Amino acid sequence: MAQTLLIIYLLFFALRFLFHWILSVLNMNSALKQKDRVPDFAAPWIDEDRYSRARAYTKRKEEFGLVSFAVRSAVTLIILLSGFPGTLDLFITGLFSSPLVQGVAFIFLFSLITDLAGLPFEGYSQFVIEEEFGFNKMTGKLWLTDKIKENLLSLVIGFPLLALLFFFMDRTGELWWVYGWAFLSAFQLLMFLIYPSLIAPLFNKFTPLEEGELKDSLNELAEKCGFKTKGIFLMDGSRRSAHSNAYFTGLGRTKRIVLFDTLVESLSTAELTAVLAHEIGHYKKKHILKKLASSFLSSLALFYLLSLALNWTPLFQAFSFNAPSYHGVLIILMYFSSPFTYFLSPLLSRISRKQEYEADAYARNAMGSSKELREGLMKLNKENLSNLTPHPLYSSFYYSHPPLRERWDALAALDEE
Ligand code: ZN
């Protein structure tokens, strides 16, 4: 049985590898075969030089993505086929006697090793590729401080969280998965509420808008839409990257809309107002609530699966564990499940793109025309050297936002109605 499970896993692993590889190559070719002619709809804003830089950026990122994907896949295979989980298990059992401490230690050591394997790629992407295209604004020191903070945070938050989860698995009987799920969901909700005001400020500065033309224009729109403007913040994104963005996060009184300083620098007041309208659209259409609700539901299903898998010895044998354990089942779920969940990405991306269209339509109505939003998106695309011609299969698989071309057409169509 364990043998069969391993074969099924390896089959999905190979299939995902092939799929990922084909999609990347298609996407690269789709960017390259366009020659230098800028697509008509973008031609008034983007010149040939910038267009060819955007394509070079796409190619560079895809090529590097393939190399790092191949290495990460190889690391996973080595971990699995060398029997590493079982060896680590033995090592940790020798160090600690309490099963709870053993479980927490296993997960931390395992994550540490797999995270370390990813660090060189992260560094290369930030300090070589992003640097080459003028996006990197990070110093080595800031990068290191970020890493230290991230790891301290995951220790401080992760340790008690794991310990409590193991407690539920161990002590609450048959229905542990319901209690465990309720606990984790409550925790997730709490994190979601405190993240914008307690955690994000550990990494970035958030300042309320300064008095002036921009603030007046944003206030006027927010008032019209019934959104409390206390929640609009500027973020010093330029400390790390020249990429620009805006996002909406939080719930209830902690909700906020965040505009990167890099965005404010490159867009006009009218365009920024349209971007704000789009973010308010996410709020009005309750996208955050929907995302949270679906994440709670899917984690309930996952917990149920966990409860079924917990005592199923062949599963542990298939992934090189010596015996069933709480930490083993969590590692299988967190680290080894991606070849299966990968095939859900088209569905998740599609839901996300649908919400983007809804927020766009809301913004179009709030502004009375789609012109400002379209032009704002065009500038964003231009500044970020985004791919203007992604392969349709690639974008439908991975894109959380519709490709500019499709967004542009959908918005323009709303004006004609
Ligand atoms: Zn959006």
Side-chain angles (χ1 to χ4, degrees):
M1 191 66 203
Q3 199 77 23
T4 318
L5 283 177
L6 180 62
I7 290 171
I8 294 175
Y9 175 77
L10 292 175
L11 217 65
F12 269 87
F13 193 90
L15 208 61
R16 194 246 327 228
F17 193 86
L18 199 70
F19 244 82
H20 185 92
W21 201 275
I22 292 174
L23 286 177
S24 280
V25 171
L26 283 177
N27 199 40
M28 240 186 300
N29 289 341
S30 159
L32 294 181
K33 73 163 188 241
Q34 304 294 330
K35 296 284 181 308
D36 282 330
R37 229 178 72 83
V38 184
D40 288 338
F41 80 106
W45 290 272
I46 293 173
D47 61 21
E48 283 183 6
D49 183 52
R50 189 163 277 265
Y51 183 50
S52 85
R53 281 225 304 149
R55 280 156 42 219
Y57 185 48
T58 300
K59 175 171 179 275
R60 189 83 167 84
K61 282 195 303 182
E62 284 300 344
E63 278 173 350
F64 177 67
L66 284 181
V67 174
S68 77
F69 178 59
V71 174
R72 276 181 290 125
S73 300
V75 169
T76 303
L77 281 184
I78 292 171
I79 286 181
L80 181 64
L81 301 175
S82 68
F84 176 73
T87 318
L88 186 61
D89 237 351
L90 277 180
F91 172 68
I92 284 173
T93 326
L95 283 183
F96 308 104
S97 56
S98 147
L100 194 141
V101 179
Q102 285 171 5
V104 173
F106 186 98
I107 291 189
F108 274 103
L109 273 178
F110 192 92
S111 317
L112 185 70
I113 290 164
T114 49
D115 283 356
L116 281 179
L119 270 189
F121 295 104
E122 218 180 289
Y124 186 88
S125 152
Q126 183 69 30
F127 293 106
V128 180
I129 301 183
E130 293 292 286
E131 182 76 39
E132 245 173 64
F133 288 88
F135 289 123
N136 177 41
K137 301 287 171 220
M138 255 199 198
T139 56
K141 194 178 146 205
L142 179 61
W143 193 67
L144 205 69
T145 334
D146 276 358
K147 289 288 144 214
I148 294 172
K149 278 192 214 164
E150 283 164 15
N151 283 297
L152 279 178
L153 259 178
S154 62
L155 272 177
V156 170
I157 296 172
F159 188 86
L161 187 69
L162 270 177
L164 276 165
L165 193 60
F166 287 141
F167 168 81
F168 281 107
M169 292 171 116
D170 202 38
R171 299 290 161 83
T172 53
E174 282 277 286
L175 284 178
W176 73 263
W177 58 278
V178 180
Y179 300 115
W181 168 78
F183 160 70
L184 204 73
S185 299
F187 177 80
Q188 201 188 346
L189 190 64
L190 176 74
M191 283 306 290
F192 199 82
L193 290 173
I194 65 171
Y195 185 87
S197 48
L198 284 182
I199 298 183
L202 296 175
F203 296 91
N204 280 101
K205 229 195 238 131
F206 294 85
T207 38
L209 286 169
E210 268 172 43
E211 296 300 328
E213 183 208 10
L214 177 62
K215 184 173 178 178
D216 293 342
S217 171
L218 295 185
N219 271 343
E220 194 185 317
L221 176 94
E223 207 161 297
K224 205 171 101 190
C225 299
F227 184 87
K228 287 217 172 53
T229 41
K230 266 193 325 200
I232 306 174
F233 288 84
L234 265 186
M235 189 190 99
D236 59 344
S238 57
R239 269 182 82 207
R240 292 186 177 78
S241 167
H243 283 299
S244 46
N245 208 348
Y247 66 85
F248 171 67
T249 185
L251 274 179
R253 277 175 44 213
T254 73
K255 67 174 183 292
R256 46 174 74 183
I257 285 172
V258 174
L259 305 170
F260 284 34
D261 55 356
T262 39
L263 185 78
V264 173
E265 240 162 65
S266 48
L267 263 55
S268 71
T269 298
E271 290 158 354
L272 284 165
T273 311
V275 169
L276 176 73
H278 170 96
E279 299 304 333
I280 292 178
H282 280 306
Y283 165 66
K284 290 283 174 183
K285 300 280 172 188
K286 305 206 172 2
H287 290 157
I288 295 269
L289 273 176
K290 286 179 187 166
K291 260 177 215 167
L292 267 178
S294 64
S295 130
F296 288 159
L297 280 178
S298 51
S299 70
L300 183 63
L302 271 181
F303 266 85
Y304 179 63
L305 278 179
L306 272 182
S307 77
L308 295 182
L310 199 52
N311 295 309
W312 194 32
T313 314
L315 180 73
F316 293 87
Q317 289 167 339
F319 290 97
S320 301
F321 286 92
N322 303 326
S325 62
Y326 299 144
H327 59 264
V329 80
L330 289 182
I331 288 289
I332 293 171
L333 180 78
M334 293 185 319
Y335 187 72
F336 291 112
S337 64
S338 56
F340 303 104
T341 51
Y342 173 79
F343 291 98
L344 290 176
S345 16
L347 178 69
L348 300 177
S349 309
R350 198 193 161 86
I351 294 171
S352 166
R353 289 197 302 269
K354 187 175 157 266
Q355 297 187 334
E356 292 306 323
Y357 283 126
E358 286 174 5
D360 278 356
Y362 179 90
R364 145 82 193 58
N365 290 338
M367 299 291 293
S369 144
S370 77
K371 183 173 174 289
E372 292 84 5
L373 183 58
R374 270 188 291 141
E375 296 188 2
L377 291 171
M378 180 64 77
K379 277 195 199 164
L380 248 168
N381 189 285
K382 177 182 166 188
E383 298 290 328
N384 287 320
L385 292 178
S386 305
N387 187 2
L388 271 177
T389 52
H391 193 278
L393 257 182
Y394 186 94
S395 57
S396 69
F397 219 87
Y398 297 122
Y399 272 35
S400 63
H401 289 62
L404 183 62
R405 163 105 233 196
E406 288 162 34
R407 240 176 136 172
W408 182 276
D409 289 349
L411 274 167
L414 288 176
D415 282 348
E416 279 156 24
E417 270 172 14

